[in-house]
C-alpha cells in the first residue's frame, strides 16, 4: 500500500518505518525542514532503540522516504496518517492546531479529486486527540470543498511506549480502529493484517476515548501506588513488598505499580489534563482525574522535602542526579520529573551534577546551570547526595563500593525504588526511598 505519515516524531517515524518494513511504500512528512534534512542524511532526530537500523534498512530498500511536500504525498497515497503533536495548552486542553493545519493542507490537495481521479483516501488520526476530532477533521475537509465520497476519517490511536516503540508497534496488545464505514475499516485492517494482532472495531468517538481512558487508567495506577507508599511510610510497611503482593493478583497486575517520583513524559500528564478538561467543558467533574494529577504533583514535593530535611541547608551542596529522561531507554525530557527536582534544588542553592546514558544532549539545552558528565563515576565525585530520577537498567549495576570512595557523604535518595535498601546499607549508604 502507498502510505503517507504526516509528522515524523516518535510516533510518526516509528509508524512509517514499521509499515515500510511490512512491505508498504511509505513517505514520512514533516513541516520541520531541519528534521527532514536530518532524516535524509540517514540520521534519527531522537533516541529510540532499533529505529536507526530499521529506518536505514527500509530507506535503502526504497520503501521509506522523507519529504517536506505534503501535497505530492497526499496525491499519491491511499492512506494518510496524521501523527503530529497535540501538546497541552495552559488551561489543560489539548492543542489541536497542528492536526487542524494538516487537515486543511490535505483538503487543499483532495479538492483536486473533483477534477482528477485521485481515488478514495483513508485519513487516519494517530495523534491523541479530544473526542470528536474525527468529526472536526471531516468538517474541515467538507468545508474546503472535498466531497465525502472521496475520503473517510478513521481513528487509530497509538499505544507504543518510547524506549520499546518498535516491539510495541509490531506486537500490540490490540489495534483499535474507529471507523464510520466498512470500506475505511477494511483498508486499515488489511494494512495491519501481517501483525496478527487483536483488532477492535469501534466508532470513531469510542476509539478516541479508548486512548485517553487507557493512559488515564495507567496514570491512576501510578498515583494509587504512590498514595499507598505514603501510607506505608506512616505505618512502617514497604511499598515494594505491598506492590508485589498486590500485583500477583491477575485482576490487578504488577505493571504500573511502581511508586516513586510519579509519572512524567509527553503523554500521561497532558492526556489526563485533556480528558479532565473535556469532561469539565461538558459539565462533568471527573474527581478521580483531579486526584490522580494532584497526587502526582505532590509526589515530587514530598521527595524534595526528604532531601531538604536531611540537610540543614542545601546551599552549595553537591547533588548528583542520575537519570534525566522521563523514563529509561529514551532521551525524551518532556515533563520529566528530573527537571522539577533539579529546578527546586538549584533554587535552594545546591550545585547539580548530572549523568544520563542518552539524554545529555537534549538536557544540556534546557539545563544551563547543571554540570554534565559522560561517566557516572565522574558525576558522583565529591557529591553530598545522589538522587535517582530515572530507572535506567545500568543503574542497577552501579558499583556502590566504588561510589562510596568517591562521594563526600554516602546518601542515596532513590526516587525510583531501584535498590535493595539492606544491600545499600551494607555498602555503607544512608538510603531514602519512597514508601519504604
Ligand atoms: P513529536 O513531537 O515527537 O512529533 C510530532 C512531529 O509532528 C514533529 O516532528 C513536528 O515537527 C511535526 N509536525 C507538527 N506540525 C506539523 C504539520 N503541520 N505538518 C507536518 N508535520 C508537523 O510527537 P509524538 O511524541 O510523536 O506524538 C505525536 C502524537 O502521538 C501526539 O498526539 C501524542 O500524544 C501521540 N502519542 C505519543 C506517544 C509517545 O510515546 N510519544 C505514544 C502514543 C501516542
Amino acid at each position: 500500500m502507498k502510505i503517507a505519515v504526516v509528522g515524523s516524531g516518535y510516533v510518526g517515524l516509528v509508524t512509517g518505518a514499521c509499515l515500510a518494513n511490512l512491505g508498504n511504500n511509505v513517505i514520512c512528512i514533516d513541516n520541520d525542514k531541519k528534521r527532514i534534512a536530518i532524516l535524509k542524511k540517514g540520521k534519527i532526530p531522537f533516541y529510540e532503540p532499533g529505529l536507526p537500523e530499521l529506518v536505514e534498512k527500509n530507506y535503502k530498500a526504497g520503501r521509506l522516504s522523507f519529504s517536506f511536500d505534503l501535497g505530492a504525498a497526499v496525491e499519491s497515497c491511499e492512506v494518510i496518517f496524521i501523527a503530529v503533536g497535540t501538546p497541552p495548552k495552559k488551561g489543560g486542553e489539548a492543542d489541536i492546531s497542528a492536526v487542524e493545519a494538516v487537515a486543511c493542507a490535505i483538503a487543499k490537495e483532495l479538492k483536486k479529486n473533483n477534477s482528477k481521479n485521485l481515488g478514495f483516501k483513508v485519513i487516519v488520526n494517530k495523534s491523541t486527540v479530544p473526542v470528536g476530532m474525527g468529526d472536526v477533521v471531516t468538517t474541515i475537509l467538507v468545508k474546503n470543498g472535498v466531497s465525502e465520497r472521496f475520503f473517510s476519517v478513521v481513528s487509530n490511536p497509538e499505544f507504543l511506549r518510547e524506549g520499546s516503540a518498535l516491539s510495541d508497534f509490531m506486537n500490540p496488545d490490540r489495534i483499535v480502529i474507529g471507523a464510520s464505514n466498512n470500506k475505511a475499516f477494511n483498508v486499515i485492517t488489511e494494512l495491519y493484517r501481517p501483525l496478527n494482532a487483536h483488532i477492535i472495531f469501534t466508532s470513531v468517538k469510542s476509539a478516541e476515548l479508548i486512548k485517553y481512558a487507557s493512559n488515564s487508567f495507567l496514570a491512576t495506577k501510578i498515583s494509587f501506588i504512590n498514595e499507598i507508599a505514603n501510607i506505608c511510610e506512616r505505618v512502617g510497611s514497604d511499598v515494594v513488598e505491598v506492590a508485589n503482593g498486590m500485583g500477583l493478583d491477575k485482576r490487578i497486575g504488577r505493571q504500573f505499580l511502581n511508586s516513586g517520583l510519579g509519572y512524567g513524559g509527553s503523554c500521561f500528564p497532558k492526556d489526563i489534563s485533556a480528558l479532565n478538561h473535556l469532561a469539565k467543558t461538558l459539565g462533568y467533574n471527573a474527581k478521580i482525574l483531579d486526584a490522580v494529577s494532584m497526587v502526582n504533583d505532590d509526589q515530587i514535593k514530598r521527595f524534595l522535602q526528604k532531601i531538604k530535611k536531611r540537610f540543614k541547608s542545601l546551599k552549595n551542596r553537591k547533588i548528583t542526579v542520575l537519570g534525566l529522561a522521563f523514563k529509561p531507554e529514551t532521551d525524551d525530557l518532556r515533563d520529566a520529573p528530573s527537571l522539577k527536582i533539579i529546578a527546586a534544588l538549584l533554587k535552594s542553592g545546591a550545585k547539580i551534577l548530572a549523568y544520563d546514558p542518552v539524554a545529555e544532549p537534549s538536557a544540556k539545552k534546557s539545563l544551563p546551570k547543571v554540570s554534565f558528565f559522560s561517566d557516572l563515576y565522574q558525576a558522583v565525585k565529591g557529591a553530598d547526595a545522589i538522587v535517582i530520577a530515572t530507572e535506567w537498567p545500568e543503574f542497577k549495576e552501579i558499583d556502590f563500593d566504588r561510589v562510596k570512595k568517591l562521594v563526600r557523604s554516602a546518601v542515596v535518595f532513590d526516587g525510583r525504588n531501584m535498590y535493595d535498601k539492606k544491600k545499600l546499607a551494607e555498602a555503607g549508604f544512608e538510603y531514602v526511598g519512597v514508601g519504604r
Side-chain angles (χ1 to χ4, degrees):
M1 239 181 257
K2 283 198 85 179
I3 297 161
V5 182
V6 188
S8 303
Y10 287 92
V11 168
L13 198 54
V14 169
T15 300
C18 289
L19 291 177
N21 205 45
L22 293 176
N24 299 290
N25 204 317
V26 182
I27 311 176
C28 284
I29 313 284
D30 208 284
N31 67 350
D32 179 345
K33 279 190 176 156
K34 266 196 214 151
R35 179 156 284 209
I36 292 298
I38 291 171
L39 288 166
K40 281 186 169 173
K41 276 186 202 147
K43 291 194 179 134
I44 305 296
F46 49 84
Y47 177 83
E48 181 60 43
L51 188 58
E53 296 81 0
L54 195 71
V55 166
E56 189 187 1
K57 176 184 158 197
N58 287 284
Y59 185 64
K60 282 189 175 156
R63 289 188 293 265
L64 183 63
S65 57
F66 308 103
S67 174
F68 185 67
D69 185 358
L70 178 85
V74 167
E75 206 178 309
S76 64
C77 294
E78 58 181 302
V79 178
I80 303 148
F81 279 91
I82 303 178
V84 295
T86 46
K89 281 189 175 179
K90 275 206 180 117
E93 69 267 49
D95 181 347
I96 52 166
S97 58
V99 179
E100 289 175 327
V102 173
C104 284
I106 294 173
K108 225 173 105 187
E109 287 309 311
L110 289 194
K111 251 199 295 193
K112 295 176 189 164
N113 239 357
N114 300 334
S115 51
K116 279 200 225 175
N117 184 15
L118 297 180
F120 184 75
K121 309 280 182 184
V122 183
I123 298 163
V124 188
N125 214 339
K126 214 173 223 329
S127 296
T128 303
V129 289
V131 181
M133 196 62 206
D135 291 343
V136 173
V137 172
T138 301
T139 306
I140 290 175
L141 269 88
V142 171
K143 274 194 174 162
N144 280 280
V146 186
S147 161
E148 278 193 74
R149 279 184 301 131
F150 296 125
F151 78 95
S152 186
V153 176
V154 165
S155 168
N156 168 225
E158 184 50 59
F159 300 97
L160 62 77
R161 295 161 298 176
E162 288 173 22
S164 54
L166 301 190
S167 81
D168 288 349
F169 189 95
M170 299 304 265
N171 310 285
D173 289 340
R174 79 304 205 184
I175 291 172
V176 176
I177 304 177
S180 54
N181 68 57
N182 283 338
K183 192 173 175 185
F185 171 75
N186 289 339
V187 171
I188 304 308
T189 302
E190 186 54 25
L191 188 60
Y192 285 121
R193 197 179 41 77
L195 298 184
N196 277 325
H198 192 135
I199 292 181
I200 300 174
F201 182 23
T202 69
S203 69
V204 175
K205 284 186 174 173
S206 294
E208 289 166 342
L209 190 52
I210 285 169
K211 176 63 193 178
Y212 273 137
S214 300
N215 272 1
S216 299
F217 186 75
L218 294 173
T220 302
K221 276 187 94 174
I222 295 172
S223 280
F224 180 83
I225 201 66
N226 279 332
E227 284 281 56
I228 298 298
N230 296 329
I231 296 171
C232 282
E233 288 184 0
R234 282 154 181 83
V235 297
S237 312
D238 183 330
V239 73
V240 177
E241 292 174 353
V242 175
N244 288 341
M246 287 171 66
L248 282 172
D249 185 328
K250 288 191 193 73
R251 295 168 303 174
I252 298 172
R254 182 63 178 85
Q255 290 191 61
F256 289 82
L257 280 187
N258 295 318
S259 67
L261 295 174
Y263 58 81
S266 65
C267 291
F268 285 6
K270 84 165 170 67
D271 292 350
I272 284 247
S273 301
L275 181 56
N276 207 357
H277 186 275
L278 181 70
K280 284 198 168 72
T281 55
L282 296 170
Y284 184 71
N285 189 15
K287 297 173 207 73
I288 289 181
L289 300 183
D290 274 336
V292 168
S293 300
M294 271 157 57
V295 170
N296 200 55
D297 291 344
D298 282 354
Q299 210 56 19
I300 289 189
K301 292 180 199 150
R302 278 179 216 282
F303 190 73
L304 282 163
Q305 272 164 11
K306 287 181 186 173
I307 302 176
K308 286 181 182 164
K309 206 171 147 197
R310 171 61 181 73
F311 298 101
K312 275 196 187 114
S313 161
L314 282 172
K315 199 152 186 14
N316 292 326
R317 293 274 182 198
K318 275 190 180 180
I319 308 221
T320 299
V321 176
L322 295 182
L324 298 164
F326 85 91
K327 60 179 275 188
E329 305 297 346
T330 182
D331 59 354
D332 198 342
L333 286 162
R334 290 180 280 187
D335 253 319
S338 67
L339 301 181
K340 289 185 187 143
I341 302 260
I342 288 172
L345 292 175
L346 284 171
K347 209 171 163 199
S348 302
K351 292 198 157 48
I352 305 295
L353 321 174
Y355 168 77
D356 186 286
V358 302
E360 185 188 323
S362 37
K364 266 185 170 161
K365 290 174 217 151
S366 51
L367 298 170
K369 291 188 182 147
V370 171
S371 306
F372 290 94
F373 293 85
S374 52
D375 176 78
L376 185 150
Y377 296 96
Q378 293 291 330
V380 298
K381 261 189 187 168
D384 292 297
I386 295 170
V387 169
I388 307 291
T390 314
E391 64 277 34
W392 278 96
E394 69 170 74
F395 295 167
K396 272 268 181 210
E397 312 303 323
I398 292 177
D399 177 350
F400 276 103
D401 292 329
R402 188 173 162 198
V403 171
K404 178 89 193 330
K405 292 181 190 129
L406 296 167
V407 292
R408 189 153 64 192
S409 60
V411 189
V412 171
F413 292 93
D414 185 357
R416 297 297 179 183
N417 283 349
M418 282 192 84
Y419 301 111
D420 180 333
K421 55 185 178 182
K422 280 190 199 129
K423 281 195 184 145
L424 246 76
E426 279 162 22
F429 280 83
E430 190 182 325
Y431 176 86
V432 184
V434 178
R436 315 184 74 183

